[in-house]
Amino acid sequence: MILDRWVASRAVAAAKAQIGKRYVWGAAGPDAFDCSGLMWSAWKKAGFSFQRTTAAKLAVHPLVRPVSLTDLLPGDMIFYGNPITHVAMYVGDGKIVHARGGSAVGLGTIRGPGTPVSAVRVISAAKAGVSLWLIGGLALISVLTIYQRRQRR
């Protein structure tokens, strides 16, 4: 768990480092981001390999678990809309970092983008490589284990 939180703190730091950069739909950095591109870039900088693609619903692999919106930890990803149209990263103290149309990447409150509908946490960052398929706020989450990769070597 300590290593998981350390990895999540790296993702949070990477996301916060983008504050002030402009919003461009479909962008994943380095000079502009959309909401899913910001998540992709932040987790990639934390050491995980991500892919972005269209997904119609949120699916959770066993190594990524849903978390209560009252039990958030920094690094958790929060989803908004029904269907999901936005994703942000919880950074602590009731705040999120996100990229939202019409503004630059910035900090906000959890309810700033609207009512959050769900949140997820990577629970085995020490053993897992995370692949996220995100675009336009729609998300499909899958986790691949590094252990399995090493076993094939």
Side-chain angles (χ1 to χ4, degrees):
M1 181 66 171
I2 292 171
L3 185 56
D4 293 344
R5 293 294 90 215
W6 179 78
V7 172
S9 72
R10 290 181 62 197
V12 168
K16 285 175 139 182
Q18 308 315 313
I19 291 173
K21 294 190 177 174
R22 63 191 174 99
Y23 175 93
V24 174
W25 187 85
D31 300 318
F33 296 88
D34 71 1
C35 63
S36 56
L38 180 63
M39 298 302 104
W40 176 83
S41 177
W43 280 102
K44 182 178 178 184
K45 288 179 181 175
F48 294 103
S49 175
F50 290 76
Q51 296 177 348
R52 289 169 44 104
T53 187
T54 303
K57 63 180 180 176
L58 173 66
V60 181
H61 186 281
L63 294 180
V64 173
R65 76 166 192 212
V67 293
S68 167
L69 293 166
T70 60
D71 190 32
L72 295 171
L73 293 174
D76 290 349
M77 290 172 281
I78 305 171
F79 299 94
Y80 299 83
N82 187 9
I84 294 169
T85 59
H86 188 62
V87 61
M89 182 180 291
Y90 184 69
V91 297
D93 297 323
K95 303 285 186 192
I96 58 169
V97 63
H98 65 136
R100 189 162 184 196
S103 63
V105 174
L107 288 175
T109 64
I110 290 175
R111 295 200 176 272
T115 302
V117 295
S118 62
V120 295
R121 176 178 301 149
V122 177
I123 59 170
S124 293
K127 298 178 184 174
V130 177
S131 295
L132 289 182
W133 291 268
L134 298 165
I135 192 164
L138 301 178
L140 172 64
I141 297 179
S142 176
V143 179
L144 306 171
T145 63
I146 292 172
Y147 177 77
Q148 289 173 336
R149 291 179 190 164
R150 289 182 181 160
Q151 292 299 315
R152 289 186 221 144
R153 292 182 187 170

